[in-house]
Amino acid sequence: MAQTLIGFLTKYPELAVFLVIGFGYLIGSVKVRGFGLGPVTGSLLAGMLLGYMVEIPVSSTAKSLLFLLFLFAIGYSVGPKFFKAMKGDGLRWALLATLMSVSGLVAAYVVARVLKLDVGMAAGLLSGALTESPAIGTAVEAINALPLPEAERAVLVAHVAVADALCYVFGALGVILFCSVVGPRLLGIDLRAAAEAAEKAIGYEREKPGVASAWRPFELRAYRIRSGGRADGSTVEAIEKLIPDKRVFVERVRRGDEILSAAPELNLAAGDVVVISGPRDVLAEIVGGSGAEEVDDREALDIPMASYDVLVNSRDVVGRTLREIADSDLAVRSVFLRAIVRGGQDVPVAPGVVVERGDVVRLTGPEPAVVRAAEAVGETLYPSDQTDFVTLSLGIVTGAIIGVLLVVPIGAMRIAMGTSVGTLLAGLVTGYLHSVRPRFGRIPEGAVQFMISIGLAAFVAMIGLSAGPHFVDALRKAGVGLFFGGIVVTSVPLLVGLYAGRYLLKLDPVLLLGGIAGAQTMTAGMAAVQERSGSPVAVLGYSGTVAIGHILLTTWGTVIVKLLS
């Protein structure tokens, strides 16, 4: 039976790859007290285990194809944030990410020299300790370009996989514990109190404990105007200003059998039925609590409502706070902001939050008003499954060629970036251009996430299969010294980021902890800060650094191989 299975997998290696991915995701989903290895490391471990038991032939072309897809997708997803980080207040977050990334590279180089690691072990040390699995791919490409016998290069590639798996455990766990426990203690702050202060600074109002979020934050209700009440004889414009600092709008007026448009100068009279839109709590508690008679008028309430996701790319909106936008001519009557998504993470909706290029905002209100608001903000993201394969394919080809031709001088050395780094940069530029011109290079979010997930998981699964035959020997050579070396490499950038970010860059402590997690590209670290602080505000720091972290740490795979070879 065993020999039959071995023969089957050897004959059909593509099925072995899918088997490894499946078990890799299964291994990665197992969590102990909230900590898990994740699907990428799980796929690497599953691949090495199967590769150790069965020698599976792996196609180098398939590996490169999947990895280039992944790199283009990751660059595409962070492109808008990467270029935004180079301007204004984002520069401080860019400096934080750069300081941490460079200090991580230096630490990995020094530890590799002290422990006398070969380039494979050193590259795996860097990718695992800094929790940036894409660096495996750039390091492997750089190793395969070395003027060495093929057998020796295969051993070095196996060493990358083994060292990454060995160092990743503390790399991930270390970031989570540092951001949520160690960092706050070193700064001497109470995480919950600091989070409340950060919320107050941006005007974010936390929900009351034990109260669930309203599933319909904005509503449309109808009220009959009472004789002698405040609304009797007032204009529509005056009614809308009765509740200060609240966006409440009169949408329609019924007068007898006639439905009137709510012109600002229209005078209201007793007996009129007014249809009002606004936040649910305002309508239920303030308007309803004032004694106004609510009525069920189906004809008056029958207003086409829309809720659209809009990609922000307007120069009039980017870089301004929600308060500034609400007080400007850009605020469209009857339109409400329901949510902001930045880099796949929900951002608190608060007056002090700055809107950034590439944000996705959810606008709700009467359809014509929402359409006008969307045109002022950016481009509406209508559901679509169409991918611009022309831009995708030519972008990868162009980036790979540029990567081969691009040579960066470091001291006396000249380092060629290679096809992987070139493809990453091509994705970066394409993603940014798409945020500026949404009709260019459109790739649906689902397609991007699929390319990221399957591309990296399948790539490391095949790396694991190739490394399997050398696994035991490489592990014996690594020893405990590599594990403790990984602890050093993980810890150095965390400490540099904490103190430089707080005392040199003067960043808010809670946002800083989120930014440290972003610079290490560890979403779980940011989530741990949110959990212990009871606040979502750490995502503002995370989104400011994660793009820079992804680009630099991925590139370091090539750099460390060149520095040590």
Side-chain angles (χ1 to χ4, degrees):
M1 179 65 180
Q3 290 300 319
T4 302
L5 179 60
I6 291 172
F8 183 78
L9 294 177
T10 303
K11 185 177 180 180
Y12 302 103
E14 63 276 15
L15 300 183
V17 174
F18 282 109
L19 182 65
V20 168
I21 294 173
F23 276 104
Y25 268 79
L26 184 62
I27 293 170
S29 66
V30 176
K31 293 187 177 181
V32 178
R33 296 188 176 182
F35 173 75
L37 293 174
V40 175
T41 302
S43 297
L44 182 62
L45 291 173
M48 286 193 294
L49 180 61
L50 182 59
Y52 175 70
M53 296 186 295
V54 184
E55 189 168 345
I56 306 291
V58 175
S59 168
S60 58
T61 301
K63 279 195 299 184
S64 298
L65 174 67
L66 288 164
F67 190 58
L68 292 181
L69 271 178
F70 162 77
L71 287 174
F72 188 88
I74 199 71
Y76 184 92
S77 66
V78 304
K81 305 305 174 190
F82 182 86
F83 289 99
K84 179 266 172 188
M86 303 303 174
K87 297 184 287 186
D89 189 59
L91 183 59
R92 291 194 298 164
W93 295 106
L95 287 173
L96 173 67
T98 302
L99 281 172
M100 290 184 62
S101 297
V102 172
S103 63
L105 174 64
V106 172
Y109 176 80
V110 172
V111 169
R113 284 294 191 190
V114 171
L115 297 180
K116 299 180 180 179
L117 302 177
D118 61 41
V119 293
M121 290 290 186
L125 164 73
L126 180 141
S127 63
L130 299 181
T131 64
E132 183 66 4
S133 298
I136 296 176
T138 54
V140 167
E141 183 191 16
I143 289 172
N144 285 329
L146 295 177
L148 298 172
E150 184 177 348
E152 189 172 343
R153 291 201 304 268
V155 171
L156 292 177
V157 169
H159 288 181
V160 176
V162 173
D164 177 90
L166 189 61
C167 296
Y168 183 88
V169 176
F170 183 83
L173 185 60
V175 174
I176 293 170
L177 292 176
F178 185 90
C179 291
S180 60
V181 179
V182 178
R185 289 184 180 178
L186 292 176
L187 293 177
I189 62 170
D190 179 284
L191 201 52
R192 288 188 175 273
E196 290 177 3
E199 291 173 0
K200 186 176 180 181
I202 63 172
Y204 176 71
E205 296 183 7
R206 191 182 300 190
E207 293 180 354
K208 297 178 182 179
V211 178
S213 299
W215 65 275
R216 287 182 61 185
F218 303 103
E219 288 197 2
L220 199 69
R221 294 190 176 186
Y223 298 91
R224 179 174 285 111
I225 295 177
R226 294 179 302 165
S227 177
R230 287 193 299 174
D232 188 5
S234 297
T235 64
V236 167
E237 185 177 15
I239 293 298
E240 292 177 344
K241 293 181 179 179
L242 284 177
I243 305 173
D245 301 325
K246 298 293 184 181
R247 301 187 77 235
V248 176
F249 303 98
V250 177
E251 303 293 348
R252 281 180 174 178
V253 178
R254 173 189 283 281
R255 182 166 291 167
D257 295 330
E258 188 178 4
I259 301 293
L260 307 176
S261 61
E265 66 278 4
L266 178 66
N267 285 302
L268 303 174
D272 286 349
V273 173
V274 294
V275 176
I276 301 178
S277 66
R280 184 176 184 275
D281 59 340
V282 174
L283 297 183
E285 298 174 16
I286 300 177
V287 178
S290 66
E293 180 188 357
E294 183 173 2
V295 296
D296 182 18
D297 190 326
R298 180 172 180 175
E299 183 182 3
L301 289 168
D302 189 15
I303 298 176
M305 302 293 287
S307 183
Y308 292 155
D309 287 344
V310 183
L311 177 71
V312 176
N313 62 12
S314 170
R315 293 181 179 179
D316 296 329
V317 174
V318 173
R320 304 179 71 174
T321 65
L322 295 179
R323 181 185 293 109
E324 291 171 342
I325 295 171
D327 294 339
S328 71
D329 295 336
L330 294 170
V332 177
R333 187 178 184 276
S334 301
V335 176
F336 300 93
L337 175 64
R338 293 190 60 180
I340 303 175
V341 178
R342 182 174 298 165
Q345 303 292 329
D346 290 330
V347 172
V349 177
V353 170
V354 176
V355 178
E356 299 179 1
R357 183 180 299 278
D359 285 353
V360 175
V361 295
R362 183 163 298 159
L363 305 178
T364 189
E367 185 180 20
V370 173
V371 170
R372 290 197 305 274
E375 290 173 350
V377 170
E379 177 155 328
T380 303
L381 300 178
Y382 295 106
S384 172
D385 58 359
Q386 297 297 313
T387 295
D388 185 350
F389 281 104
V390 173
T391 301
L392 170 64
S393 303
L394 296 183
I396 291 176
V397 172
T398 304
I401 293 173
I402 292 174
V404 172
L405 299 177
L406 182 62
V407 177
V408 179
I410 299 181
M413 294 183 299
R414 295 173 64 80
I415 298 178
M417 289 293 96
T419 59
S420 55
V421 175
T423 300
L424 179 66
L425 297 178
L428 193 75
V429 173
T430 304
Y432 172 74
L433 292 177
H434 171 69
S435 72
V436 178
R437 297 284 185 271
R439 297 186 185 279
F440 170 79
R442 179 179 176 84
I443 304 177
E445 179 64 23
V448 173
Q449 292 306 316
F450 178 78
M451 288 161 61
I452 291 174
S453 300
I454 193 66
L456 187 56
F459 173 78
V460 299
M462 287 187 277
I463 289 291
L465 288 171
S466 301
H470 310 282
F471 174 72
V472 174
D473 183 59
L475 193 60
R476 187 183 300 113
K477 288 181 180 179
V480 295
L482 181 61
F483 178 77
F484 286 106
I487 294 177
V488 173
V489 175
T490 299
S491 303
V492 167
L494 294 175
L495 292 169
V496 168
L498 186 74
Y499 289 110
R502 187 69 183 121
Y503 302 111
L504 179 63
L505 300 176
K506 308 296 183 182
L507 296 170
D508 177 89
V510 179
L511 271 59
L512 170 61
L513 294 170
I516 289 173
Q520 295 285 87
T521 67
M522 178 52 62
T523 307
M526 182 266 294
V529 177
Q530 291 179 321
E531 181 181 0
R532 291 187 68 88
S533 66
S535 168
V537 294
V539 71
L540 297 176
Y542 176 89
S543 64
T545 58
V546 68
I548 305 293
H550 269 306
I551 299 301
L552 292 182
L553 293 180
T554 299
T555 305
W556 290 169
T558 298
V559 173
I560 197 166
V561 171
K562 298 296 185 180
L563 289 175
L564 292 172
S565 55

